[in-house]
Amino acid sequence: MIGHAVYLRLRRKVTLTSSRKQVTLDDVAQIVAPSHVKTSLKGMTLQQITPADGNLFVIDAMTIIEEILKSFPDLMPHVIGDEETLVEVKEESGKKAPLWKVASVWLLLFLGSGLAIMNFHTDVSMGKVHERFYYLLTGKVNPHPYLLQIPYSVGIGIGMILFFNHLFRKRLNEEPSPLELEMYLYQENVEKFAKDHENRENRKGEDASTT
């Protein structure tokens, strides 16, 4: 008799808290299955979380299919999309950062970005450029052309807000900022490295066990 088909779409990455002791199928996959087995599949344990696993480990489709067939040999599991899920285990953090730490980081970033802008302006002689522009526009020599420097300084701040697409916590539009794109690419590379590293370690373990 042909068994019931079960369709699984693995999540690319899931984050669990350190209080969790096991990873279930519902954590790592979306499940389409007959109603009489779906609840049991959701609660199925795929792996016990131990300190030896570290904070990053991979669960692949073959492991999931093997566990399903052990408990439900009459089912026919099909995996759609990604074939691996990266599991990250994080410590529970209910505390907010102390105010002095937030202030210290804010001050460090403020001074660092200010010095970077000032050094850049010194390298390109921005003050001389403003003086020259002022002379071309008015025909007068002015060592402090505030008429140009003040709007220019305000424009830098507005430009940074538009560039990062945020005003404090408020997003200006739905487009991702360059910083968010860089963080996304960085996270994607980290996940790819973790998966490749885990696969290499698993292959080494399998090769060692066969020799």
Side-chain angles (χ1 to χ4, degrees):
M1 182 178 66
I2 299 177
H4 295 288
V6 174
Y7 298 94
L8 306 169
R9 172 172 285 176
L10 302 190
R11 298 179 174 91
R12 192 177 67 178
K13 179 184 176 182
V14 295
T15 302
L16 304 177
T17 60
S18 56
S19 61
R20 291 287 300 273
K21 302 301 181 184
Q22 58 191 17
V23 183
T24 64
L25 183 58
D26 190 43
D27 292 327
V28 302
Q30 294 176 285
I31 307 168
V32 176
S35 57
H36 66 280
V37 295
K38 187 173 183 178
T39 302
S40 299
L41 288 174
K42 283 185 174 183
M44 177 182 295
T45 300
L46 299 177
Q47 181 171 327
Q48 298 291 336
I49 301 176
T50 64
D53 296 323
N55 67 322
L56 286 175
F57 56 89
V58 174
I59 295 180
D60 63 13
M62 296 302 293
T63 300
I64 294 173
I65 293 174
E66 184 178 3
E67 291 298 324
I68 291 175
L69 293 179
K70 281 182 182 178
S71 302
F72 303 94
D74 60 327
L75 296 182
M76 298 175 59
H78 301 275
V79 178
I80 301 172
D82 292 334
E83 297 180 353
E84 294 174 327
T85 296
L86 180 65
V87 180
E88 180 180 13
V89 180
K90 282 188 174 182
E91 295 291 333
E92 295 186 58
S93 56
K95 297 181 179 179
K96 293 184 178 180
L99 183 60
W100 68 269
K101 284 188 177 181
V102 176
S104 299
V105 172
W106 181 89
L107 183 62
L108 179 64
L109 293 175
F110 178 79
L111 293 177
S113 58
L115 287 173
I117 294 174
M118 292 167 62
N119 289 334
F120 169 75
H121 286 172
T122 301
D123 289 341
V124 299
S125 301
M126 187 61 71
K128 297 295 183 182
V129 172
H130 285 165
E131 292 178 27
R132 183 62 177 170
F133 268 120
Y134 188 87
Y135 176 75
L136 292 174
L137 292 172
T138 65
K140 298 178 182 180
V141 177
N142 185 351
H144 302 290
Y146 296 124
L147 186 64
L148 294 177
Q149 291 177 342
I150 292 175
Y152 175 77
S153 300
V154 173
I156 290 177
I158 295 174
M160 294 297 289
I161 292 173
L162 295 176
F163 180 79
F164 288 106
N165 195 25
H166 276 82
L167 180 60
F168 298 104
R169 293 187 177 183
K170 182 177 177 59
R171 182 186 289 271
L172 301 181
N173 55 53
E174 295 301 319
E175 293 182 2
S177 68
L179 180 61
E180 289 173 326
L181 288 176
E182 287 300 321
M183 290 298 296
Y184 174 80
L185 293 175
Y186 169 78
Q187 188 64 36
E188 195 174 51
N189 289 332
V190 169
E191 293 172 8
K192 186 176 184 302
F193 172 82
K195 290 179 180 180
D196 291 344
H197 178 72
E198 185 79 11
N199 288 333
R200 285 196 300 268
E201 292 299 317
N202 290 339
R203 283 197 295 270
K204 288 181 181 178
E206 291 174 358
D207 294 340
S209 62
T210 55
T211 55

